[in-house]
Amino acid sequence: MSQLFYVMTIPGLETLAFNEIRTRISEAELVKFARGIALFKASASPGNLLELHTVEDVFFSLAHIRGLGHGRDALRVLHSATLNADILQGLALWRRTSGGRPAKTWRVVSQKAGTHDFRRIDAGQAVVAALQKAMPRGMRLVKDDADVEIWLWLSGSEALIGLRLSDATMRHRRYKQEHLPASLRPTIGAAMSWLAHPTPQDIVLDPLCGAGTIIIERALLAPFAQAMGGDIRTEAVAMARRNARAAKVAASWNVWDARSLPLEEASVTRIMTNLPFGKQIGSHETNVELYTLLAREFRRVLTPDGLLVALTSEDRLLNMILQDAGWRINKKVVLVVLGLPASIFVAEPA
Ligand SMILES: C[S@@+](CC[C@H](N)C(=O)[O-])C[C@H]1O[C@@H](n2cnc3c(N)ncnc32)[C@H](O)[C@@H]1O
């Protein structure tokens, strides 16, 4: 039987996440995209959905409301939609993803974008009031650390109420033992890996690897021949090594200067990297020089049929430098990283 699910993604990665859903669950049928959301029908087992790499959270949809009215009317609609939702089906799916353990506690999380003539807290309260009637008797409402979370998402006149099937380990991953400032969200690393058209023959390089997220995500996504990461800072390389060990990923890790890599010409088939944004690390001025030298060095070590996938918030700068250095830009995905607009460039040597 087909049911309604939705995933939450980093804003900008919705269509890419739905591509991943379609390759894993071929009958999945898109209902709609919203900012950071893909809503779809599928008869998927929730276990399959929790294996997605490019999404932050997975929800069983309890209600999808369009044309939400105003004031008390809107709150009444939220209340009755929750009351009529198939909570028991949602709880049964939750139990399957949680190893059969019974849910004892619940809470409501509400998010609101746009202007409304009611407060976020009132909308959340309308859902809570309905759930107090609809939840099984043995379950208790708590403030934090609930077993089951019901999320209310409101954007203009549209609302989604969903039972969260994933937990924080989906977005943060279990391997991430240590974080660095400017460390990348794993789902972005997975999205970059996806955009790099993975093949089992790939020799993958992240020349500015930080805590190693991109290489690890690439390795977890699909088979590859060889993977290498490196960074100018010894402590970053040590961290990448520890994270890779925790993820059971075999890759080589090196301390180096990415402007002059100890690698042969045309020796790697994929370069995937998160360039310094010039905010937490470096500045726009240092980036002008750094990006110029990197574009040249990346071209040297990449095979002529190879691909570069690079993330930056310096869209205009990278665009100009790649073109000047003889790259063809195939695709650009615009997303939001730590509140900043950023772009993932997919480029090949022209
Ligand atoms: C934006 S961070 C990368 C974050 C990484 N993707 C992660 O998830 O942790 C940029 C990294 O580039 C490194 N870096 C800066 N200049 C470098 C250079 N010339 N050679 C190698 N690494 C460099 C920094 O030390 C930093 O770890």
Side-chain angles (χ1 to χ4, degrees):
M1 193 188 64
S2 161
Q3 308 180 97
L4 204 53
F5 295 94
Y6 61 94
V7 294
M8 283 194 166
T9 69
I10 298 279
L13 297 184
E14 308 82 5
T15 49
L16 202 138
F18 189 67
N19 283 343
E20 188 191 5
I21 292 170
R22 279 300 293 271
T23 56
R24 290 174 194 270
I25 304 154
S26 57
E27 34 70 64
E29 201 184 308
L30 181 71
V31 175
K32 77 168 287 172
F33 289 124
R35 187 182 150 83
I37 287 184
L39 177 68
F40 60 97
K41 282 188 200 153
S43 55
S45 97
N48 281 347
L49 294 173
L50 294 185
E51 282 165 21
L52 293 166
H53 294 243
T54 58
V55 316
E56 300 266 305
D57 274 299
V58 177
F59 296 83
F60 171 69
S61 173
L62 294 169
H64 177 210
I65 302 157
R66 275 168 286 202
L68 192 69
H70 298 280
R72 293 205 159 277
D73 248 5
L75 298 180
R76 257 194 298 274
V77 169
L78 291 174
H79 184 271
S80 73
T82 311
L83 210 51
N84 290 317
D86 196 350
I87 307 273
L88 294 182
Q89 173 65 5
L91 288 172
L93 292 176
W94 182 89
R95 203 167 308 125
R96 272 164 57 195
T97 62
S98 317
R101 116 185 123 93
K104 295 201 176 109
T105 54
W106 62 275
R107 71 171 183 139
V108 170
V109 174
S110 35
Q111 295 170 308
K112 186 168 98 58
T115 45
H116 298 88
D117 50 8
F118 50 81
R119 297 176 306 166
R120 180 173 62 89
I121 197 163
D122 298 326
Q125 196 45 46
V127 174
V128 168
L131 288 174
Q132 278 172 323
K133 294 185 188 156
M135 276 290 187
R137 279 174 180 272
M139 287 183 66
R140 209 162 31 87
L141 171 64
V142 292
K143 277 210 163 64
D144 304 296
D145 289 334
D147 292 333
V148 172
E149 290 186 349
I150 313 289
W151 285 33
L152 165 66
W153 171 91
L154 267 168
S155 176
S157 64
E158 189 160 15
L160 274 169
I161 303 167
L163 191 144
R164 189 183 182 207
L165 298 173
S166 48
D167 63 21
T169 58
M170 180 165 199
R171 59 170 77 179
H172 295 305
R173 315 295 207 236
R174 289 182 199 279
Y175 68 78
K176 263 217 151 170
Q177 311 204 319
E178 301 180 65
H179 288 270
L180 283 172
S183 185
L184 192 67
R185 292 289 277 240
T187 61
I188 301 178
M192 292 172 70
S193 304
W194 194 268
L195 288 167
H197 299 291
T199 78
Q201 291 76 39
D202 285 350
I203 301 171
V204 189
L205 165 70
D206 181 351
L208 304 93
C209 74
T213 316
I214 296 176
I215 289 292
I216 295 170
E217 288 298 321
R218 168 61 187 84
L220 296 176
L221 186 73
F224 59 98
Q226 206 187 320
M228 286 174 271
D231 200 281
I232 205 159
R233 289 179 301 146
T234 315
E235 68 272 25
V237 174
M239 232 173 253
R241 209 172 262 135
R242 284 197 287 275
N243 282 335
R245 198 173 306 130
K248 298 194 170 58
V249 161
S252 67
W253 302 102
N254 316 272
V255 178
W256 62 32
D257 185 337
R259 291 167 290 191
S260 131
L261 293 163
L263 299 173
E264 299 283 313
E265 236 166 78
S267 58
V268 303
T269 65
R270 297 288 186 273
I271 298 179
M272 303 199 299
T273 200
N274 173 14
L275 296 166
F277 281 16
K279 302 278 186 314
Q280 282 172 322
I281 299 173
S283 66
H284 174 72
E285 286 65 38
T286 56
N287 276 351
V288 174
E289 196 196 339
L290 178 67
Y291 284 22
T292 306
L293 296 173
L294 291 178
R296 201 177 301 155
E297 184 64 349
F298 292 177
R299 243 201 113 175
R300 185 185 70 78
V301 298
L302 194 66
T303 53
D305 59 351
L307 279 179
L308 165 68
V309 179
L311 172 70
T312 181
S313 68
E314 295 251 36
D315 183 301
R316 280 179 35 202
L317 178 64
L318 187 61
N319 206 72
M320 189 182 77
I321 287 176
L322 285 181
Q323 277 174 351
D324 285 354
W327 291 86
R328 183 178 316 119
I329 298 166
N330 293 343
K331 189 173 180 140
K332 230 193 263 184
V333 174
V334 176
L335 69 167
V336 177
V337 179
L338 301 171
L340 287 177
S343 308
I344 302 173
F345 284 73
V346 182
E348 60 184 359

